[in-house]
Amino acid sequence: MKKYLLQYRPFLLFITTFFIIYIVAAVIYKLYLDSFDEKSIDGITNIVGHQVFKIMNFFNCDIRILKSESNPYLEVWYNQKYVIRIVEGCNAVSVIVLFGSFVIAFSGKFKTTLIFILFGILFIHILNISRIALLTVLMFHFPEKEHLLHGVFFPLVIYGFIFILWIVWVNKFSKYAR
């Protein structure tokens, strides 16, 4: 048994570190969400909604983003039509937690790790805002393609880019990059 623990030590350290960081970050985020009542929208989701409005407004889209009167989400109206809603899960925090946990588990130098995580968070956030804006326009024109767009294409894009960031991290910056 000791032989296997020594042989697989790097993998076991990675898995242990990853899950500890992921669980701690997820619990902190859950505590943050619990500070809002069930009819409220958390601050991060509000920021995402505001930024989606700003980017679409920049491109002269007829866009309105309103708080639902009875539910904890933002209604996105495009060309006078209710198209999608932005819920807490649309703010990409869970994806950012996953990304950061992986990078920390494969950490390199502290400064490099911190800079890469901050760059990654910014990249994921911008990608997410763009995703919601594009999804709004596409759902307006192709509402019958909701499952393909929301359930397949955009998750593939987000997770695909995160996977690419992980590969870059492991091969260029982590302590295992050689």
Side-chain angles (χ1 to χ4, degrees), residues 112-129:
T112 307
T113 303
L114 183 63
I115 289 170
F116 194 83
I117 288 173
L118 292 174
F119 164 77
I121 289 171
L122 179 63
F123 179 78
I124 292 166
H125 181 71
I126 291 169
L127 186 62
N128 187 51
I129 299 300

Side-chain angles (χ1 to χ4, degrees), residues 12-50:
L12 295 172
L13 282 173
F14 165 76
I15 289 293
T16 303
T17 305
F18 173 81
F19 279 115
I20 288 171
I21 298 298
Y22 184 83
I23 289 167
V24 167
V27 166
I28 290 169
Y29 182 56
K30 176 76 169 108
L31 291 171
Y32 165 77
L33 290 176
D34 288 346
S35 70
F36 296 90
D37 66 55
E38 63 232 19
K39 295 283 186 190
S40 296
I41 300 170
D42 69 278
I44 299 169
T45 303
N46 272 322
I47 289 169
V48 167
H50 179 73

Side-chain angles (χ1 to χ4, degrees), residues 1 3-4 14 22 25-26 33 35 39 49 51 68 84 91 93 96 103 108 115 122-123 134 147 152 156 175 178:
M1 179 72 163
K3 174 184 149 188
Y4 292 114
F14 165 76
Y22 184 83
L33 290 176
S35 70
K39 295 283 186 190
Q51 291 173 340
S68 170
I84 65 169
N91 64 23
V93 171
I96 289 168
V103 171
I115 289 170
L122 179 63
F123 179 78
L134 190 55
H147 174 71
V152 177
L156 184 64
K175 62 186 169 197
R178 298 288 177 263

Side-chain angles (χ1 to χ4, degrees), residues 104-109 169-170 173-178:
I104 291 169
F106 261 115
S107 66
K109 295 177 183 166
W169 173 253
V170 170
F173 302 110
S174 80
K175 62 186 169 197
Y176 300 101
R178 298 288 177 263

